[in-house]
């Protein structure tokens, strides 16, 4: 045991979905701080209580930056659609506070495997036991599964004859359902939802009075997939769900989709700034949240710094010239190491197949994660993860963690499907540690007596 400890004394964490501190734009933030606080007029506007939806400079800067990136079909993003938040996690709770009511809102539908850290926010908002998983398929989300769940929920409501009065005392608009997802470079599956599926989900949300909350936090970190042919053109970013909702005829004044954005992955999590884009009604309604009404914009100082970086174009430059090249290299290093050490053991990377088969986003890679599928006949991924941690000082996020909390169906599906996998993040460690981590995972797998079953199965499949 002593020798093991000596060999594996460096902890490797491929679970952590954090951006690497080496890439934090400290210099740019320092410059933005000086420009902001050494100018008396701007400093005065920065250090008072901020306007409830965020300062005009930040909202306009964000709207123009989004327009440059997405080129929405309906035209430029308008500043009155933007509400500045303290990041996507808080924004989720804000949306639930204002647009749901457990006495009216029936279910929270979450794509599965799911971003498991979102579950407590839904539970805290009063939805314990009412989170429902919706399996992900190659297009992004099993639309028929969702539809039948919504139809069943409607039948249940009619049976129970729920009274709706209470809900409308709390807010001007309460939705019947929430649909939560990460449609681009999903956390955890890395999949990109096809355009067709995006349209189908919006259609369904309209039919069943649902609000889609789409965490659009990885969209900017995109590069050609190493498998795509040399010189192949990068596909343009797909429209967000909120863009699809705006562009499809028949949208309501409140809308049925919001984009929950964050600067955590492209600036630094510590700045605690993000934005919600939705209809102007949504943006206005969010201003009525208690702490906002009392204290103004919840990230006034740091959002002003980000606003400077947006207006000067320095954030775009940072993403293109620093973040993308580094993450692209790390992604490549992880793939190479998996190809060398894990594919021969029968592991698979479903996200590559999916992206290639997707059509809309073919040849693209991005975000922070890849999802590794364990071989047929493998010991449970959870067991491998435990051994990896205890014996090899390596942490991975096994698929069982990605179940929708409190949904027995999701747990059941997880056992057969996504549970036998793991989410690996390439954003935190440098290439050498990524390679070392993958090698340790192969060793952890091989060290389990049950893994011989999987290896035998692989040999049979190959003959
Ligand atoms: C899908 C998703 N949503 C939200 C967050 C958290 O965002 P923020 O730091 O803006 O709260 C993360 C971070 O890992 C994430 O992956």
């Amino acid at each position: 045991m002593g020798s093991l400890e000596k060999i594996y004394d460096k902890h490797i964490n491929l679970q952590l979905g954090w951006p690497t501190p080496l890439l934090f734009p400290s210099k740019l933030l320092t410059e933005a701080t000086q420009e902001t606080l050494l100018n008396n007029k701007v400093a005065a506007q920065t250090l008072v209580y901020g306007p409830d939806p965020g300062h005009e400079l930040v909202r306009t800067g964000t709207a123009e930056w989004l327009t440059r990136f997405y080129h929405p079909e309906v035209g430029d993003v308008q500043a009155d659609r933007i509400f500045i938040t303290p990041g996507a996690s808080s924004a989720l709770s804000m949306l639930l506070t204002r647009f749901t009511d457990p006495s009216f809102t029936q279910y929270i539908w979450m794509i599965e495997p799911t971003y498991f850290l979102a579950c407590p926010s839904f539970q805290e908002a009063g939805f314990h036991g009412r989170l429902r998983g919706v399996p992900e398929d190659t297009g992004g989300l099993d639309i028929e599964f969702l539809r039948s769940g919504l139809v069943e929920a409607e039948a249940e409501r009619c049976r129970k004859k729920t009274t709706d009065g209470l809900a409308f005392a709390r807010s001007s608009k309460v939705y019947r359902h929430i649909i939560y997802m990460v449609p681009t470079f999903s956390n955890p599956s890395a999949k990109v939802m096809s355009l067709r599926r995006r349209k189908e989900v919006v259609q369904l949300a309209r039919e069943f009075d649902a609000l889609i909350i789409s965490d659009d936090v990885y969209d900017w970190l995109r590069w050609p997939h190493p498998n795509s042919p040399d010189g192949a053109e990068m596909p343009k970013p797909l429209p967000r769900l909120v863009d699809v909702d705006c562009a499809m005829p028949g949208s309501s004044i409140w809308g049925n989709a919001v984009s929950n954005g964050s600067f955590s992955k492209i600036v630094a999590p510590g700045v605690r700034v993000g934005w919600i884009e939705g209809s102007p009604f949504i943006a206005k309604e969010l201003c009525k949240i208690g702490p906002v009404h009392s204290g103004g914009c919840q990230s006034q100082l740091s959002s002003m710094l980000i606003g400077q970086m947006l207006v000067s174009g320095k954030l775009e430059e940072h993403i293109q010239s620093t973040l993308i090249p580094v993450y692209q290299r790390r992604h490549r290093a992880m793939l190479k190491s998996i190809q060398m050490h894990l594919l021969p053991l029968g592991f698979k990377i479903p996200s590559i197949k999916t992206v290639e088969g997707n059509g809309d986003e073919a040849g693209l890679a991005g975000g922070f994660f890849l999802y590794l599928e364990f071989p047929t006949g493998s010991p449970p991924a959870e067991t491998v993860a435990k051994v990896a941690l205890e014996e090899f000082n390596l942490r991975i996020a096994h698929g069982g963690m990605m179940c929708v909390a409190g949904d027995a169906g999701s747990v059941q599906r997880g056992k057969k499907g996504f549970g036998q996998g793991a989410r690996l993040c390439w954003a935190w460690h440098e290439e050498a540690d990524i390679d070392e981590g993958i090698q340790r995972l192969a060793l952890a797998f091989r060290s389990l007596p049950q893994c011989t079953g999987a290896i035998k199965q692989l040999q049979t499949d190959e003959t």
Side-chain angles (χ1 to χ4, degrees), residues 17-18 86-90 115 117 180-182 187 215 217-218 260-265 269 272-274 368-369 423:
W18 291 9
S89 310
S90 298
Y115 171 51
L117 294 178
Y180 171 81
M181 63 182 75
V182 190
N187 178 1
D215 277 9
V217 302
Y218 297 104
N260 191 17
S262 172
F263 292 102
S264 288
K265 312 296 178 186
R272 294 286 84 217
V273 186
F368 269 22
F369 307 105
R423 185 198 75 179

Side-chain angles (χ1 to χ4, degrees), residues 101-106 130 156-169 174 176:
D101 185 324
S103 72
F104 179 89
T105 307
Q106 285 184 272
R130 282 198 267 160
E156 181 188 301
R157 190 171 70 84
C158 293
R159 277 197 305 274
K160 285 188 185 159
K161 296 197 174 54
T162 316
T163 48
D164 296 342
L166 219 164
F168 293 102
V174 176
R176 187 68 78 187

